[in-house]
């Protein structure tokens, strides 16, 4: 198996790294100060618009979107290096359009939905969100109780969603709902395109998370949605949702590699300069092993992620591999960043340095899109099932 990127994809990797270095890294001090002041880590409208202009000019928009709606239709292996670069900074920026919801739309849209939702989304004209989790249903979709009932040509949706990122600013939200109670999550779950100004769609509250992130709780009360906004086939929303979740998990793995590599680089630069008890930290076996173990695990995570991406591009079943990568990369990055913070001592605890924010980002990722325990359960179930 050849893990070398093609010349085209190497050029894209270099371009993404340059973009992060020149456009995102300079904003880190502003982001850190904003987070330290309790104002979150989100970019201002002006900051985002300036970055959007540059990223669009560089051709970094719609990298994995279909060509017929303005995208570049690049494979997953090309995006690993891009997301690793984006993950190396705490400046929060996602290249339009956000890949997970894009992939779900690509797998399900009708021609009408393609023009009304997918094409504007690829062009960066709209923002999307997705409502999956509920107050009583997180990692287990079988607990979902949000319901959609037919009413003539329309659907009426009632329920609540929580941990919905970007719900307040989204132009539309993909809402998962049960359309057949008896079948539930396995054949009775459907997806709907709900506009942000749709009557009955209400953002109830903003929920501050660690690391300056924000999510929302949303209520759907007698929310009438036109029939043509059913996304995909009625009752078959679970599989496209998994496409969306798998894409985000791959992104998270790459982001974690970028974060861990950043932490290792910081540690390797600092350790030879810091002298304690007559010796630089780089001469201490504990610090040497932190660096060595970090390099080993980053290398392993990177290979695992590229392997999984290549199999995805081949259309293979990678449910186990995605779960493995999600667990390994997030927990690897947590360990590497924690050791880097220990290496920097009191300075590593300050909000003037990015390490604490990097740690918070990774801590969130160990929960988002399936906690490590659930992914271990998936891997074990797949293993045991093949041995019966």
């Amino acid at each position: 198996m050849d893990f070398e990127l093609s010349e085209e994809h190497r050029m894209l990797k270099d371009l993404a790294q340059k973009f992060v270095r020149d456009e995102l890294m300079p904003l880190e001090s502003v982001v850190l100060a904003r987070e330290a002041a309790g104002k979150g880590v989100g970019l201002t409208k002006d900051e985002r618009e300036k970055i959007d202009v540059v990223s669009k000019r560089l051709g970094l928009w719609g990298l994995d979107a279909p060509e017929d709606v303005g995208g570049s239709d690049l494979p997953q292996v090309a995006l690993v290096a891009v997301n690793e670069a984006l993950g190396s900074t705490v400046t929060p920026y996602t290249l339009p359009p956000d890949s997970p919801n894009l992939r779900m739309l690509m797998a399900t849209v009708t021609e009408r939905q393609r023009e009304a939702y997918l094409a504007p989304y690829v062009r960066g004209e709209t923002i999307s969100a997705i409502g999956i989790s509920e107050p009583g249903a997180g990692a287990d979709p079988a607990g979902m109780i949000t319901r959609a009932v037919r009413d003539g040509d329309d659907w009426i949706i009632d329920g609540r969603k929580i941990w919905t990122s970007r719900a307040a600013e989204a132009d539309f939200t993909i809402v998962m709902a049960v359309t057949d109670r008896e079948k539930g999550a396995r054949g009775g779950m459907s997806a709907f395109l709900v506009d942000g100004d749709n009557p009955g769609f209400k953002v109830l509250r903003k929920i501050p998370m660690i690391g300056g992130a924000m999510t929302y709780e949303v209520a759907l009360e007698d929310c009438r949605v036109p029939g043509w906004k059913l996304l995909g086939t009625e009752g078959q929303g679970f599989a496209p949702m998994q496409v969306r979740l798998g894409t985000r998990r791959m992104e998270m793995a790459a982001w974690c590699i970028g974060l861990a590599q950043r932490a290792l680089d910081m540690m390797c630069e600092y350790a030879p300069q810091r002298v304690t008890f007559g010796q630089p930290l780089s001469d201490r076996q504990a610090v040497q092993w932190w660096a060595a173990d970090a390099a080993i695990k980053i290398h392993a995570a990177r290979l695992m992620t590229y392997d999984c991406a290549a199999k995805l591009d081949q259309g293979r079943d990678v449910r186990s591999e995605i779960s493995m990568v999600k667990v390994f990369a997030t927990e690897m990055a947590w360990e590497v960043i924690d050791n880097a913070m220990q290496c920097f001592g009191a300075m590593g605890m300050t909000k003037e340095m990015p390490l604490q924010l990097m740690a918070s980002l990774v801590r969130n990722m160990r929960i988002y899109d399936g906690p490590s325990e659930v992914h271990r359960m998936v891997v074990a179930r797949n293993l045991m099932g093949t041995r019966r």
Side-chain angles (χ1 to χ4, degrees), residues 28 34 86-87 127 129 133 148 150 188 204 239 247 253 315-316 339 381:
E28 275 203 346
R34 191 174 291 152
L86 291 171
I127 297 171
S133 295
R150 281 189 181 276
L204 298 180
T247 303
R316 295 166 62 178
N339 286 338
R381 184 181 61 205

Side-chain angles (χ1 to χ4, degrees), residues 238-309:
F238 187 81
M241 182 185 75
Q242 289 302 312
V243 170
R244 188 259 175 209
L245 292 171
T247 303
R248 178 67 84 205
R249 289 159 185 163
M250 287 292 294
E251 282 186 335
M252 286 184 178
W255 293 340
C256 283
I257 294 166
L259 286 164
Q261 186 65 60
R262 172 88 179 275
L264 174 59
D265 292 344
M266 291 173 66
M267 187 161 45
C268 289
E269 180 180 358
Y270 176 73
Q273 300 175 26
R274 176 64 168 170
V275 176
T276 62
F277 303 101
Q279 275 188 306
L281 289 181
S282 55
D283 286 351
R284 308 278 181 190
Q285 187 181 67
V287 177
Q288 291 174 349
W289 284 17
W290 287 341
D293 287 346
I296 291 166
K297 293 177 181 180
I298 290 170
H299 182 56
R302 190 175 282 125
L303 292 177
M304 287 175 67
T305 305
Y306 273 111
D307 172 70
C308 189

Side-chain angles (χ1 to χ4, degrees), residues 139 242 244-257 297 300-306 308-309 312 318-335 361-379:
Q242 289 302 312
R244 188 259 175 209
L245 292 171
T247 303
R248 178 67 84 205
R249 289 159 185 163
M250 287 292 294
E251 282 186 335
M252 286 184 178
W255 293 340
C256 283
I257 294 166
K297 293 177 181 180
R302 190 175 282 125
L303 292 177
M304 287 175 67
T305 305
Y306 273 111
C308 189
L312 266 175
V318 292
R319 283 173 290 184
S320 288
E321 285 90 338
I322 283 180
S323 286
M324 291 177 189
V325 166
K326 170 65 162 56
V327 172
F328 188 81
T330 55
E331 298 199 356
M332 173 276 296
W334 175 256
E335 177 186 319
L361 291 170
V362 173
R363 190 64 189 85
N364 278 335
M365 283 190 269
R366 290 173 63 203
I367 294 288
Y368 287 171
D369 292 86
S372 297
E373 293 73 20
V374 169
H375 285 291
R376 285 189 170 96
M377 180 185 73
V378 169
V379 174

